[in-house]
Amino acid sequence: EFLALGYVSIFREDIIKEEIKNLEPINNCLLNNLLDTPFLKRTYEKKLFVPELIRKKATEMMSDYNKKAFHNMAADHYSRRKGKGPITKIEELYHALNTLDQKRFLETLEEHGPDIIDNGFSRPLFMLIRSARFYEAFEDNFVIDYFEAETSRLMSNYETSEKLFERIIEGSDDDILKAKTHLKLGTIKESRECFDEAIDQFRSTESLITELEDYGEKRDLLGKSYVRLGEIWSKKEDYKKAKEYLQEAIDILLKEEDHNLLSSSYFILAQVEKEKGELAKALEPFKMGLNYWSRIDETYNRIEGLERIGALYKILRELNNAQEYLNKAIEASDTFGYWKI
């Protein structure tokens, strides 16, 4: 009975009855008996949970061996879920952290970290990474540095972010990780309108990975760096260079079918044509951007797209359409808490 209570107490959310029965000594009869006590409760969805006071006491009484074993089983439980969303991935990462197995935690962080960030869950990921810093079993690691730096950047803590990114560039021998780091540093420089410094960072990404074997992650990094270079050159009013970089980005991203970055590339290209005074030429890339934007599944990226579409309609003087899309962006941002957008 104590094992059953201990295992349920390890979870931060309600769990299904079948999951507890994975513990060998536990059976239906035992669980039903526990449900007749104040120790174990059932939700209206028939999921099980332990009241907070019991949970706290059970966790205190558990041995370190059992805690690690239960967290390991809980991490396995979340890793088996099909079609899992960012919250499930956060829970898997939380339990992987509490196994005190750094290898497992790093593998899970590298697998799920980018998707958790892309879905707008930077803060809970940041909190988990900060927790990892306090575990003696965990050594300093550049992968942990990278994700702490990136979540800090997204929460506008640029000073911490830059320090960690610079530490990676100085100390890591992983060219892909360093290329990602230069890309993020370039984004910070661009946000401050330090365009020449940003260009240097994006070009460093390019130079680090140009000689590497052609595969998905390399193409993704090149595509992102070319999109950013295209937009920066458009801000610097060098429209020829802007178009060259954006076209290179599109050629690369078409192979990856990255609808989010493709839509951004076409929207920026449309804006470049408009800035040049070529309104008719702006319409074709704008339509292409709309086409790719309509295929984006991720809520966060769709909202960013809404913002860009609204801004472009405004430039094109289609003010009713501009208002419609910008209002949609505001409503969706409010609903999902993306206050920056």
Side-chain angles (χ1 to χ4, degrees):
E1 289 170 347
F2 179 73
L3 282 175
L5 290 177
Y7 187 44
V8 180
S9 297
I10 283 291
F11 286 85
R12 299 196 295 183
E13 60 179 10
D14 311 329
I15 62 169
I16 57 174
K17 192 175 181 180
E18 286 69 28
E19 177 57 29
I20 309 174
K21 289 194 288 189
N22 284 333
L23 288 169
E24 278 186 22
I26 294 170
N27 55 41
N28 240 351
C29 180
L30 184 147
L31 286 175
N32 288 334
N33 287 341
L34 272 174
L35 283 166
D36 287 334
T37 73
F39 299 140
L40 191 64
K41 300 292 183 185
R42 198 196 314 259
T43 69
Y44 72 94
E45 292 178 321
K46 301 190 185 293
K47 290 184 177 180
L48 305 182
F49 72 97
V50 174
E52 189 54 39
L53 188 62
I54 308 298
R55 178 193 299 272
K56 186 178 178 184
K57 194 65 180 173
T59 306
E60 285 174 2
M61 293 171 66
M62 261 189 287
S63 67
D64 288 342
Y65 174 84
N66 274 347
K67 283 180 189 174
K68 289 179 189 177
F70 287 162
H71 278 298
N72 205 49
M73 289 177 66
D76 288 343
H77 162 71
Y78 285 111
S79 71
R80 289 193 299 269
R81 281 199 190 174
K82 294 178 181 177
K84 51 193 172 185
I87 293 174
T88 299
K89 291 174 182 178
I90 288 167
E91 290 308 303
E92 182 183 345
L93 189 60
Y94 164 76
H95 291 292
L97 169 66
N98 284 286
T99 63
L100 303 185
D101 179 343
Q102 187 174 22
K103 183 172 181 289
R104 176 165 194 172
F105 175 70
L106 289 175
E107 286 173 354
T108 309
L109 179 60
E110 287 191 279
E111 181 183 0
H112 296 324
D115 189 59
I116 291 170
I117 288 169
D118 286 347
N119 279 278
F121 288 85
S122 297
R123 185 169 290 279
L125 181 58
F126 172 80
M127 298 305 293
L128 283 176
I129 291 165
R130 291 302 301 160
S131 297
R133 298 285 193 194
F134 293 102
Y135 285 118
E136 291 181 5
F138 285 21
E139 299 171 0
D140 281 343
N141 185 278
F142 289 124
V143 172
I144 293 175
D145 285 347
Y146 175 80
F147 281 103
E148 183 177 350
E150 176 60 354
T151 50
S152 296
R153 179 184 76 84
L154 291 167
M155 294 188 296
S156 303
N157 188 350
Y158 297 124
E159 187 178 349
T160 298
S161 183
E162 283 185 285
K163 281 180 184 174
L164 288 166
F165 281 141
E166 283 162 6
R167 186 161 83 180
I168 294 166
I169 289 168
E170 289 168 11
S172 176
D173 56 5
D174 182 336
D175 284 344
I176 288 289
L177 186 62
K178 286 167 74 171
K180 288 180 186 175
T181 300
H182 280 295
L183 189 66
K184 300 303 181 182
L185 265 177
T187 305
I188 293 173
K189 304 294 185 188
E190 183 184 356
S191 69
R192 292 175 175 163
E193 298 190 351
C194 301
F195 294 140
D196 291 336
E197 292 178 46
I199 287 168
D200 288 343
Q201 293 295 335
F202 294 133
R203 282 180 172 163
S204 293
T205 294
E206 181 185 10
S207 64
L208 274 167
I209 60 178
T210 299
E211 300 303 318
L212 296 179
E213 185 181 345
D214 186 40
Y215 70 108
E217 191 167 24
K218 172 187 171 177
R219 290 195 293 269
D220 182 61
L221 287 169
L222 271 178
K224 285 176 180 174
S225 62
Y226 289 157
V227 171
R228 299 307 337 129
L229 284 165
E231 186 151 34
I232 287 174
W233 283 115
S234 75
K235 289 173 182 174
K236 288 168 71 72
E237 298 183 4
D238 189 332
Y239 299 124
K240 184 173 182 291
K241 277 188 179 177
K243 286 181 69 174
E244 286 172 1
Y245 275 113
L246 289 167
Q247 193 54 60
E248 283 208 57
I250 288 166
D251 292 342
I252 290 168
L253 296 167
L254 282 169
K255 297 176 186 175
E256 292 299 294
E257 295 188 356
D258 188 325
H259 299 150
N260 176 39
L261 282 175
L262 276 167
S263 66
S264 294
S265 302
Y266 279 115
F267 288 151
I268 298 166
L269 195 54
Q271 199 158 338
V272 167
E273 297 292 5
K274 172 62 179 66
E275 294 296 329
K276 287 169 60 189
E278 301 280 358
L279 185 57
K281 286 185 179 179
L283 291 174
E284 187 55 35
F286 181 50
K287 287 176 184 174
M288 292 296 291
L290 280 174
N291 174 45
Y292 283 108
W293 174 82
S294 67
R295 304 183 202 177
I296 296 171
D297 294 326
E298 300 86 355
T299 301
Y300 185 74
N301 290 328
R302 284 182 68 81
I303 295 171
E304 285 191 320
L306 285 170
E307 183 192 22
R308 279 194 182 274
I309 294 165
L312 276 165
Y313 268 128
K314 180 170 169 255
I315 289 169
L316 297 170
R317 309 307 296 164
E318 295 277 352
L319 297 183
N320 287 336
N321 284 330
Q323 186 173 9
E324 178 189 345
Y325 279 97
L326 289 170
N327 278 334
K328 284 180 182 176
I330 290 166
E331 287 168 17
S333 299
D334 285 344
T335 301
F336 293 98
Y338 302 133
W339 56 271
K340 283 186 185 178
I341 291 174

